[in-house]
Amino acid sequence: MSCSTVCQAVASCMSIPNSTSRSPAVFSNTQKLDGALVFRSSVSYNRVNGFSSCRCSATTSVPPGEDVFSVVTSSTTSEVDYLGESTKGDLNLNFGIDGKALQGPVEEVAKMEAQEAENLLQHLGIPVPYNARHSPRGIFCSRTLNLRSISAIGYDMDYTLMHYNVMAWEGRAYDYCMENLRNVGFPVDGLAFDPDLVIRGLVIDKEKGNLVKADRFGYIKRAMHGTRMLSTREVSEIYGRELVDLRKESRWEFLSTLFSVSEAVAYMQMVDRLDKGVIGPDLCPNEYKGLYKAVGKALFRAHVEGQLKSEIMSKPELFVEPDPELPLALLDQKEAGKRLLLITNSDYHYTDKMMQHSFNRYLPNDMNWRDLFEMVIVSARKPEFFQMAHPLYEVVTGEGLMRPCFKACPGGLYSGGSAQMIESSLNVHGDEILYVGDHIYTDVSQSKVHLRWRTALICRELEEEYNALILSREERATLIDLINKKEVLGDLFNQLRLALQRRTEGRPAQTLAATHMEDNELTESMQKLLVVMQRLDQKIGPMLDEDGELFSKRWGYLSRAGLWDKSHLMRQIEKYADIYTSRVSNFLHYTPFMYFRAQEQVSVDQLNLR
């Protein structure tokens, strides 16, 4: 295979001289003969296992008069490519290659070489990008991102670089929360942690003691009061056309991370106790809103008093799910020239202990986790870290002793500070930085809104959701087929109804044939259609209720609020996360030079073509 054409023709020959693209690539020593673009290159071919391979000279000096196929897409030529993405660090390869001419229309050259590239990728056991996207471990793209233009990658730690066993971690957080509630007089006996009660992306209505699931527009589709799911009629009666508005923080609380699971479970269980009248007004005078405040305070104490984290640090293997691929994915990025950063709200002792456990045993050549990162920030106080400056301290001893400092330097370990300080220290800014985290607000939206950093969201449940969607394909196909049949029947019913309406007013129907139909023929056809549609509804209704049960029996799919509509969570992800995936180690299945492209959006003209 011609490696020059794989890395250059396929990636860049869509832009040709005198084209209308925003930033055409520069082709050195190209000729146009009879309307065809001719690339002058020289390749020495071998055959390896049935595939073409080549020996090309990766030298930058070329003998005078030698034709060269050269691609230059650096920012000195243009700052953005034809998709509007930064070209900083993009390819920037000049190969002096001897020998063979590739000629013909650029579309034909690209087609031939792309097919050969796909064959070789398959032979090497490497999935092509298209196939990698269509898997539970894929990286999904909301906004096109050229990873080659990223100079620095920042990572959150909890539920990002390491994934906790939710039943173990959140279960212990729940236990400590309930113990704190018991100590101030709340009746908690007989309650147990039930993670199936909630999923990420739900919203707590603190005024009504409800947990709700909203669609992308904020309309409430499902709701639970205490631990009892409400019927569709009850949801309609309680909320009508009322919208979830996350800006009203006094009422709505968005469950944007797995850390919210223990809090939501405890709160919904305590709502049941409040409704039964066993919680006195002295404990929560504002009813549901006061109860939420009491639960939140009890859980906050569980975190800040240190008992929970001390227990986890003493036996991390009980709480952390190992991922041997994770350190290797970061090592690839570091060796590709990316400057890696760790930015976490956890304190130094906890961070060091957990990172040692999760990373050191999987790194080669006696490396430790600190060797991966150019800068480490603990106790970052996100989201304020992205909004304002806090005092900066340098951690100077293994025991965590700190001293004040005024400037961060590469290679340092710090506490506090700000995102602007990182930009200044590393001389990287805005969309040169990719930040990866699990919290839509604290990690993703704030770094995006205030700094215009590129963003990646980690959502482990995507793997389970993807598999559930695959397993339910046949049922969904059947459901959609029934809905389509009802749509056709309904349209005929409506047309006959309109014909009858016009006849009543003494006007002709829509068509001559409809005008000539007998009255009894019209009414009998309408009656039959009505019966069939009613029977279809009896079949479709339960199937709609069951759709998504493979992921969550109460709440359905994470990404959807109905058969086709996106959930409020999915709307937040697409709004703030440029890319999203289930775990950081999924980057290992791509490369540090990947160009992630947003998927095609359906428009009116595309609908007309289908």
Side-chain angles (χ1 to χ4, degrees):
M1 161 170 290
S2 168
C3 63
S4 64
T5 49
V6 171
C7 66
Q8 298 167 351
V10 175
S12 301
C13 70
M14 293 303 293
S15 291
I16 61 176
N18 303 317
S19 72
T20 57
S21 63
R22 293 185 59 184
S23 70
V26 176
F27 293 91
S28 299
N29 297 323
T30 59
Q31 298 178 11
K32 202 165 187 180
L33 301 177
D34 299 325
L37 188 65
V38 180
F39 304 106
R40 293 299 182 187
S41 63
S42 177
V43 182
S44 175
Y45 281 90
N46 289 326
R47 302 296 295 182
V48 180
N49 295 325
F51 295 96
S52 299
S53 65
C54 74
R55 296 190 301 270
C56 61
S57 172
T59 60
T60 56
S61 60
V62 183
E66 186 74 29
D67 287 329
V68 177
F69 175 58
S70 173
V71 177
V72 181
T73 57
S74 67
S75 57
T76 58
T77 302
S78 178
E79 294 183 355
V80 294
D81 65 11
Y82 49 83
L83 291 179
E85 282 296 301
S86 170
T87 58
K88 179 181 174 64
D90 193 16
L91 297 181
N92 293 334
L93 301 174
N94 271 320
F95 286 111
I97 307 175
D98 323 310
K100 179 180 169 78
L102 291 174
Q103 61 182 13
V106 64
E107 295 87 356
E108 294 300 322
V109 172
K111 179 180 179 181
M112 177 185 66
E113 294 299 319
Q115 182 59 58
E116 196 170 349
E118 186 171 339
N119 292 340
L120 184 53
L121 283 170
Q122 184 177 3
H123 175 71
L124 296 173
I126 301 172
V128 296
Y130 178 84
N131 292 332
R133 284 197 302 268
H134 292 76
S135 75
R137 298 287 300 274
I139 297 178
F140 308 99
C141 184
S142 302
R143 179 188 169 206
T144 299
L145 171 64
N146 183 3
L147 202 58
R148 295 188 293 268
S149 69
I150 297 297
S151 300
I153 305 177
Y155 287 101
D156 177 43
M157 184 179 73
D158 299 306
Y159 282 122
T160 300
L161 285 182
M162 64 184 64
H163 184 73
Y164 297 107
N165 181 306
V166 175
M167 190 65 190
W169 210 109
E170 296 304 317
R172 291 302 291 147
Y174 171 92
D175 293 340
Y176 280 108
C177 174
M178 287 304 188
E179 185 62 30
N180 289 334
L181 287 173
R182 178 186 285 109
N183 292 339
V184 294
F186 281 88
V188 300
D189 292 338
L191 296 178
F193 181 57
D194 180 7
D196 292 332
L197 274 178
V198 304
I199 61 172
R200 188 201 302 244
L202 302 179
V203 185
I204 294 177
D205 181 352
K206 293 180 278 189
E207 287 186 1
K208 300 182 184 298
N210 293 340
L211 191 61
V212 305
K213 184 177 186 179
D215 67 13
R216 55 180 165 168
F217 304 111
Y219 291 106
I220 296 169
K221 297 297 185 180
R222 301 191 188 193
M224 182 171 74
H225 181 76
T227 59
R228 181 180 72 86
M229 293 299 297
L230 302 179
S231 67
T232 302
R233 180 182 293 275
E234 287 176 308
V235 172
S236 179
E237 290 174 351
I238 293 171
Y239 291 104
R241 295 290 85 189
E242 188 173 14
L243 298 178
V244 169
D245 186 352
L246 298 179
R247 294 171 296 182
K248 297 180 180 179
E249 297 180 1
S250 62
R251 179 175 181 182
W252 307 104
E253 187 70 27
F254 188 48
L255 308 183
S256 59
T257 176
L258 290 173
F259 278 131
S260 305
V261 171
S262 52
E263 179 182 37
V265 171
Y267 177 62
M268 302 318 293
Q269 291 175 338
M270 296 307 295
V271 166
D272 286 343
R273 296 283 166 103
L274 181 63
D275 289 343
K276 290 177 181 178
V278 296
I279 299 177
D282 55 319
L283 291 174
C284 50
N286 295 325
E287 293 187 331
Y288 298 124
K289 189 174 285 189
L291 179 62
Y292 177 80
K293 185 176 180 181
V295 171
K297 183 177 180 180
L299 187 62
F300 180 75
R301 285 186 57 196
H303 285 284
V304 300
E305 288 180 352
Q307 291 175 292
L308 175 59
K309 286 194 172 181
S310 295
E311 182 177 343
I312 293 169
M313 284 191 289
S314 66
K315 296 181 179 179
E317 65 278 1
L318 299 181
F319 296 92
V320 178
E321 295 185 358
D323 189 348
E325 294 181 332
L326 172 59
L328 304 181
L330 268 61
L331 192 59
D332 276 349
Q333 294 173 354
K334 179 180 177 65
E335 292 171 346
K338 310 300 181 186
R339 308 171 80 176
L340 303 186
L341 317 169
L342 177 61
I343 306 172
T344 175
N345 282 355
S346 293
D347 61 68
Y348 166 72
H349 291 290
Y350 184 78
T351 299
D352 185 51
K353 178 68 175 180
M354 303 311 289
M355 292 294 287
Q356 283 188 42
H357 172 78
S358 299
F359 277 75
N360 287 4
R361 53 185 162 158
Y362 301 122
L363 287 169
N365 304 325
D366 296 324
M367 289 182 66
N368 65 62
W369 72 271
R370 283 288 308 279
D371 296 326
L372 286 172
F373 297 95
E374 183 145 348
M375 188 178 294
V376 175
I377 309 291
V378 299
S379 303
R381 298 177 65 178
K382 296 175 294 182
E384 293 180 4
F385 181 82
F386 298 113
Q387 303 167 355
M388 62 186 72
H390 287 290
L392 179 68
Y393 299 90
E394 183 182 9
V395 180
V396 293
T397 70
E399 290 74 31
L401 293 178
M402 299 183 291
R403 64 185 177 197
C405 65
F406 300 99
K407 182 180 179 181
C409 298
L413 169 60
Y414 301 96
S415 174
S418 69
Q420 291 85 349
M421 169 208 72
I422 288 180
E423 291 188 334
S424 176
S425 307
L426 301 180
N427 195 28
V428 290
H429 305 278
D431 61 5
E432 296 178 83
I433 305 175
L434 173 67
Y435 189 66
V436 187
D438 72 295
H439 197 298
I440 290 178
Y441 178 72
T442 300
D443 295 319
V444 175
S445 75
Q446 293 304 292
S447 58
K448 170 71 69 181
V449 170
H450 292 282
L451 299 162
R452 293 295 185 265
W453 286 8
R454 307 307 300 270
T455 51
L457 181 80
I458 301 300
C459 181
R460 180 57 70 96
E461 305 97 297
L462 287 174
E463 293 179 23
E464 184 182 349
E465 169 132 330
Y466 187 96
N467 290 326
L469 285 166
I470 295 298
L471 291 173
S472 64
R473 278 186 301 186
E474 291 185 8
E475 290 80 3
R476 292 177 63 81
T478 301
L479 175 57
I480 292 170
D481 182 60
L482 292 175
I483 291 174
N484 289 338
K485 283 182 170 62
K486 185 189 173 185
E487 183 179 5
V488 174
L489 296 172
D491 188 57
L492 176 57
F493 178 87
N494 293 334
Q495 293 292 347
L496 295 178
R497 182 177 180 180
L498 180 58
L500 188 61
Q501 173 186 303
R502 289 187 177 184
R503 178 171 299 185
T504 303
E505 299 298 325
R507 295 189 293 116
Q510 305 94 302
T511 65
L512 188 62
T515 303
H516 290 162
M517 288 183 73
E518 298 291 337
D519 286 356
N520 63 336
E521 189 180 359
L522 270 172
T523 54
E524 286 177 6
S525 296
M526 291 174 64
Q527 288 172 351
K528 182 177 69 173
L529 289 169
L530 196 58
V531 170
V532 175
M533 288 191 294
Q534 287 174 341
R535 292 186 63 185
L536 277 175
D537 281 343
Q538 293 171 1
K539 182 77 173 178
I540 291 171
M543 291 181 71
L544 282 172
D545 291 338
E546 294 168 4
D547 185 47
E549 279 193 351
L550 287 176
F551 181 77
S552 170
K553 290 187 178 297
R554 288 181 174 87
W555 301 106
Y557 291 114
L558 195 76
S559 59
R560 301 180 182 180
L563 183 60
W564 287 292
D565 203 5
K566 295 175 182 176
S567 66
H568 210 56
L569 172 68
M570 199 66 221
R571 173 71 180 103
Q572 298 293 313
I573 292 175
E574 292 184 339
K575 184 176 182 180
Y576 295 114
D578 297 321
I579 56 177
Y580 55 99
T581 189
S582 63
R583 57 180 88 187
V584 172
S585 57
N586 292 345
F587 280 103
L588 191 64
H589 305 300
Y590 296 78
T591 72
F593 322 107
M594 181 67 187
Y595 197 123
F596 294 102
R597 291 183 292 108
Q599 297 303 292
E600 174 190 22
Q601 301 296 309
V602 176
S603 59
V604 174
D605 60 327
Q606 291 167 328
L607 288 172
N608 290 335
L609 293 172
R610 293 181 178 181

